[in-house]
């Protein structure tokens, strides 16, 4: 579009935009709506809003209960309602003007919150499956008003004419579509019935479906399960659980009733019976005034609540223009916070009154609870003692672990825990694996709940302090071997020491933290890059890198034999083999040099054994 220069000539007078309706329909189908199936939802929504306006106009409307009737036989799709209807002026104003909604100008509809639709473009979705929309309507506001027929076509043209009252004896509107050949997937009778149940199962007005066989099937025979009455609380719980299983396809571990009167929200949260990946957010089913809005509305709950799936019906939540998601505003934020509080209350109630259910819940969802406890002091106080952790006593809760270990040591990585677990356990040290997400943070907060317990990070010095030194004579006898071992392992910045510790079956322990390895790698790179800009940067970052420690166990028969070796080459080979075995037991990734050392030491020992035998 080119904007002309400012001028007062008639040629520069304001003009009206020309709309290419086919282009607009293409835009709707590819960018606004997720699927052509939404045409039926839009027709249902218009019918429901018309009934809402009729009830506002005539609270006690005469005749049978007002409702919605669907008809599909493969050649046409028809939606008929007993709503407020349209006059001829309404038809010209609202059906022929794109984007104008009767909910905005109607005096009856001053309270827009009463209606599902707000944008005035929903009827255009019918062009996704048909080339013509046929509407016959009669207004309830003017008893003597004639029926009005409107035909809108996909090329942007339309026609209007009045019909005798007999064409529509009662107020309301009938919309008829003749599907295109390529729209059969969405307009077959069985599909129309399925879509009606999918979108309208919780609608408050009666909806029936007829496929031309003479009888009508009720689309929404019962109200939402939380809106029904039950003889006992147990019967209510079973009914809600059954509805959750039917809706989501799993048997809930428990169901949590959700009720926020301020926004007219009711529903349930179904606790998943199995663990889900951390941070994976499930979609929730959200209905607005009974109409299904979305099956993937993950914005209704906070990120940490990935252990539940919800189905809710709300009065005051605002849909987006496509009516397939929720508009992010202050109301939605308040609803999200309130629902989060309901989930916290359920956890607290379960912890206080149902230990068996709490145990099953934590077994499946301990990671979700840990992520919540990191930021929620109340959940931390309630559940931290009950959360499972990997410890030197096996998998245990912190409450159980703290009963036997008043000083709790925690590692900074899974790798460090695996290095020291067996030795620490034999030495009577209580160590918790802090390498998993949230675990180290939570263990350090244990004294807030159990003041009698102290928590500290485990470092190599703490562990080696609990290993018994050998006597002076043994140390002197092994001095030559230890010197050769240190020389053989100098390439790995590894010191070698001789101690006694349990279990005696462990010949050696390798203490080498990830941080220490990173610092040594940085120092090595700085030495290789000396004189360059990158080398100067690394040089300024360099700190004194702690050395790895290979602790040999004097209680192990193999070590006692090795320290007595007087052949230098064999001594070096045995030290390399002990280092390689300890590195593999740590279950950390091996560096290429370490893999080469393990292969070389094995082959050298094998060659020595063969020479000795020959």
């Amino acid at each position: 579009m080119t904007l002309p220069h400012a001028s007062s000539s008639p040629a520069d007078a304001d003009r009206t935009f020309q709309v290419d309706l086919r282009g607009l329909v293409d835009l709707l189908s590819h960018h606004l709506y997720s699927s052509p199936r939404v045409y039926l939802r839009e027709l249902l929504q218009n019918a429901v809003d018309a009934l809402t306006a009729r009830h506002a106009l005539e609270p006690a409307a005469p005749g049978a209960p007002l409702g919605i009737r669907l008809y599909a036989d493969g050649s046409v799709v028809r939606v008929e309602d007993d709503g407020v209807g349209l006059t001829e002026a309404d038809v010209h104003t609202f059906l022929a003007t794109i984007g104008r909604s009767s909910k905005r100008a109607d005096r009856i509809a001053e309270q827009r919150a009463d209606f599902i639709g707000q944008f005035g473009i929903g009827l255009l979705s019918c062009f996704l499956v048909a080339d013509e929309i046929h509407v016959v309507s009669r207004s309830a506001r003017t008893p003597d008003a004639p029926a009005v027929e409107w035909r809108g076509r996909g090329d942007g043209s339309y026609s209007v004419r009045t019909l005798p009252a007999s064409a529509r004896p009662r107020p309301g509107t009938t919309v008829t579509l003749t599907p295109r050949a390529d729209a059969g997937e969405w307009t077959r009778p069985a599909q129309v019935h399925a879509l009606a149940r999918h979108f309208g199962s919780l609608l408050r007005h009666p909806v029936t479906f007829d496929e031309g066989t003479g009888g009508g099937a009720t689309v929404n025979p019962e109200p939402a399960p939380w809106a029904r009455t039950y003889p006992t609380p147990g019967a209510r719980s079973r009914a809600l659980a059954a509805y959750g299983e039917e809706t989501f396809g799993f048997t809930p571990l428990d169901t949590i009733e959700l009720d926020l009167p301020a926004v007219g929200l009711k529903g349930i949260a179904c606790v998943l019976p199995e663990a889900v990946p951390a941070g994976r957010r499930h979609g929730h089913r959200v209905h607005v005034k009974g109409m299904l809005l979305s099956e993937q509305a993950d914005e209704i709950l906070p990120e940490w609540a990935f252990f539940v799936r919800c189905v809710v019906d709300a009065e005051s939540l605002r849909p987006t223009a496509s009516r397939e998601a929720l508009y992010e505003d202050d109301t939605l934020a308040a609803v999200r916070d309130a629902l989060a509080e309901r989930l916290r209350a359920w956890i607290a109630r379960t912890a206080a009154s149902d230990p068996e259910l709490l145990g099953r819940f934590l077994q499946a969802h301990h990671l979700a609870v840990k992520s919540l406890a990191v930021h929620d002091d109340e959940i931390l106080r309630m559940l931290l003692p009950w959360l499972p952790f990997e410890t030197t006593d096996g998998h245990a809760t912190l409450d159980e672990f703290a009963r036997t270990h008043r000083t709790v040591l925690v590692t900074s990585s899974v790798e460090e825990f695996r290095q020291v677990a067996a030795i620490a356990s034999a030495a009577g040290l209580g160590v918790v694996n802090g390498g998993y997400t949230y675990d180290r943070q939570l263990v350090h907060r244990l004294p807030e709940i159990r003041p009698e317990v102290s928590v500290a990070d485990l470092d190599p010095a703490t562990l080696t302090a609990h290993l018994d030194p050998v006597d002076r004579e043994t140390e002197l006898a092994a001095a030559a071997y230890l010197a050769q071992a240190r020389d053989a392992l100098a390439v790995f910045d590894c010191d070698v020491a001789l101690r006694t510790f349990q279990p005696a079956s462990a010949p050696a322990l390798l203490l080498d933290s990830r941080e220490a390895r990173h610092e040594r790698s940085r120092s090595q790179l700085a030495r290789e890059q000396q004189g360059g800009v990158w080398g100067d940067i690394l040089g300024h970052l360099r700190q004194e890198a702690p050395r790895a420690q290979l602790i040999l166990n004097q209680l192990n028969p193999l070590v006692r034999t090795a320290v007595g070796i007087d052949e230098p080459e064999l001594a070096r080979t045995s030290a390399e083999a002990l280092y390689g075995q300890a590195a593999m037991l740590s279950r950390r990734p091996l560096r290429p040099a370490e893999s080469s050392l393990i292969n070389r030491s094995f082959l050298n020992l094998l060659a020595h054994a063969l020479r000795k035998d020959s």
Side-chain angles (χ1 to χ4, degrees):
M1 179 181 294
T2 302
L3 296 177
H5 296 289
S7 172
S8 60
S9 65
D12 294 321
D14 289 343
R15 292 177 172 83
T16 302
F17 281 105
Q18 301 299 311
V19 177
D20 179 356
L21 189 58
R22 290 190 184 277
L24 182 58
V25 171
D26 182 70
L27 179 67
L28 293 177
S29 62
H30 290 95
H31 300 284
L32 183 63
Y33 296 123
S34 61
S35 165
R37 68 176 185 167
V38 299
Y39 83 93
L40 191 68
R41 185 197 64 201
E42 296 298 322
L43 291 176
L44 282 174
Q45 168 249 297
N46 286 340
V48 170
D49 287 345
L51 287 170
T52 303
R54 177 79 182 274
H55 279 295
L57 180 69
E58 302 177 87
L66 305 182
I68 304 169
R69 294 166 294 283
L70 305 178
Y71 176 88
D73 64 0
S75 60
V76 298
V77 175
R78 186 166 61 245
V79 179
E80 181 178 0
D81 67 69
D82 300 315
V84 71
L86 299 170
T87 65
E88 183 178 356
D90 292 336
V91 167
H92 284 288
T93 302
F94 302 122
L95 297 189
T97 305
I98 295 172
R100 178 175 292 180
S101 171
S102 61
K103 290 89 171 180
R104 292 177 177 170
D106 191 352
R107 290 172 299 162
I108 299 172
E110 290 179 356
Q111 298 299 320
R112 293 178 60 198
D114 293 339
F115 300 96
I116 302 171
Q118 306 290 340
F119 297 94
I121 58 175
L123 194 62
L124 291 180
S125 65
C126 295
F127 287 123
L128 300 178
V129 296
D131 289 325
E132 182 177 275
I133 305 171
H134 179 216
V135 178
V136 176
S137 186
R138 183 176 175 185
S139 176
R141 302 190 195 95
T142 308
D144 297 331
V148 183
E149 178 190 65
W150 178 86
R151 290 182 182 272
R153 290 169 284 274
D155 61 5
S157 64
Y158 72 94
S159 60
V160 180
R161 65 173 178 153
T162 58
L163 302 175
S166 58
R168 174 86 200 189
R170 299 177 58 190
T173 301
T174 300
V175 180
T176 303
L177 307 178
T178 302
R180 291 194 305 270
D182 62 354
E185 177 185 357
W186 307 108
T187 56
R188 293 193 304 269
Q191 181 69 285
V192 172
H193 190 196
L195 291 176
R197 288 182 57 83
H198 178 73
F199 290 118
S201 62
L202 298 186
L203 289 175
R204 289 79 182 267
H205 302 287
V207 182
T208 58
F209 173 78
D210 180 10
E211 58 179 321
T213 57
T218 303
V219 170
N220 53 343
E222 294 181 316
W226 48 82
R228 306 172 203 165
T229 57
Y230 300 90
T232 64
R236 183 178 183 86
S237 296
R238 288 190 294 273
L240 294 178
Y243 181 76
E245 183 172 4
E246 178 186 357
T247 302
F248 296 122
F250 62 84
T251 302
L253 192 63
D254 197 13
T255 54
I256 308 165
E257 281 208 62
L258 306 174
D259 187 3
L260 303 178
V263 292
L265 182 146
K266 290 180 178 293
I268 57 172
C270 298
V271 182
L272 290 157
E274 297 178 349
V276 294
R280 176 182 172 184
R281 302 182 69 183
H282 286 289
H284 307 290
R285 289 178 65 94
V286 175
H287 299 251
V288 174
K289 302 177 181 67
M291 182 71 72
L292 179 64
L293 180 78
S294 174
E295 297 176 275
Q296 300 296 326
D298 58 3
E299 65 271 23
I300 196 74
L301 287 180
E303 291 186 7
W304 55 259
F306 54 85
F307 55 88
V308 296
R309 293 192 70 181
C310 293
V311 52
V312 299
D313 186 18
E315 296 288 332
S316 301
L317 292 179
R318 181 181 173 189
T320 59
S322 67
R323 285 186 283 281
E324 296 184 337
L326 292 171
Y327 187 81
E328 189 70 45
D329 57 11
D330 292 342
T331 300
L332 179 58
V335 166
R336 186 163 48 237
D337 291 343
L339 293 180
E341 188 56 38
R342 297 295 187 276
L343 297 184
R344 289 190 185 94
W346 175 82
I347 294 175
R349 186 169 61 253
T350 303
S353 61
D354 197 337
E356 190 272 335
L357 175 59
L358 178 68
R360 288 189 288 131
F361 169 68
L362 291 180
Q363 184 177 9
H365 301 294
H366 60 273
L367 185 58
V369 176
K370 286 178 179 180
S371 68
L372 176 57
V374 167
H375 307 290
D376 191 309
D377 290 344
E378 183 179 352
I379 295 297
L380 179 79
R381 288 191 296 272
M382 285 189 301
L383 294 183
L384 181 59
W386 304 97
L387 291 174
F389 290 83
E390 185 179 6
T391 75
T392 47
D393 292 349
H395 282 83
T397 66
L398 285 186
D399 196 57
E400 297 169 335
F401 196 65
R403 291 190 194 127
T404 54
H405 302 283
R406 292 304 184 190
T407 298
V408 175
L409 302 172
V410 58
T411 64
S412 59
S413 68
V414 175
E415 173 190 309
E416 290 177 4
F417 178 81
R418 290 171 177 170
Q419 287 178 9
V420 305
I423 310 303
S425 178
L429 297 176
V431 182
V432 177
N433 185 351
Y436 296 115
T437 306
Y438 309 118
D439 283 13
R440 186 165 173 266
Q441 293 172 268
L442 291 172
V443 174
H444 272 287
R445 298 191 66 179
L446 181 60
E448 300 176 28
I449 316 301
R450 297 284 187 269
E452 70 277 9
V453 177
S454 62
V455 176
D457 287 325
L458 177 70
D459 57 37
T462 303
L463 185 61
T464 53
H466 286 78
L467 305 180
D468 296 327
V470 297
D471 59 70
R472 185 169 180 78
E473 291 183 1
T474 302
E475 182 81 27
L476 290 173
Y481 178 84
L482 295 177
Q484 290 172 328
R486 292 185 187 108
D487 183 64
L489 302 179
V491 66
F492 300 114
D493 286 325
C494 183
D495 195 10
V496 184
L498 186 64
R499 298 286 189 274
T500 62
F501 54 85
Q502 295 292 339
S505 58
L509 169 66
L510 180 62
L511 299 178
D512 190 16
S513 68
R514 184 183 304 171
E515 290 76 12
R517 290 198 306 276
H518 287 174
E519 182 58 39
R520 289 198 300 272
S521 297
R522 189 162 55 228
S523 299
Q524 176 64 30
L525 186 58
R527 287 193 295 269
E528 295 173 356
Q529 298 287 337
Q530 276 185 347
V533 175
W534 182 236
D536 292 341
I537 294 173
L538 292 175
H540 282 92
L541 294 176
R542 188 170 58 211
Q543 301 176 4
E544 186 62 32
R547 305 187 71 193
Q549 284 188 302
L550 180 66
I551 310 296
L552 303 180
N553 187 5
Q554 175 65 18
L555 298 180
N556 183 268
L558 177 63
V559 171
R560 288 200 300 270
T561 301
V563 297
I565 296 175
D566 54 9
E567 183 180 338
E569 193 59 34
L570 181 58
R572 292 176 61 89
T573 298
S574 66
E576 291 173 343
L578 288 169
Y579 176 90
Q581 190 256 1
M584 287 191 294
L585 286 179
S586 71
R587 291 190 283 183
R588 64 168 171 79
L590 297 176
R591 290 171 286 180
E594 291 173 329
S595 298
S596 175
L597 173 140
I598 292 171
N599 292 332
R600 184 176 65 251
S601 62
F602 171 76
L603 293 175
N604 287 343
L605 287 174
L606 181 61
H608 176 81
L610 292 175
R611 285 197 303 272
K612 183 177 180 182
D613 288 343
S614 62

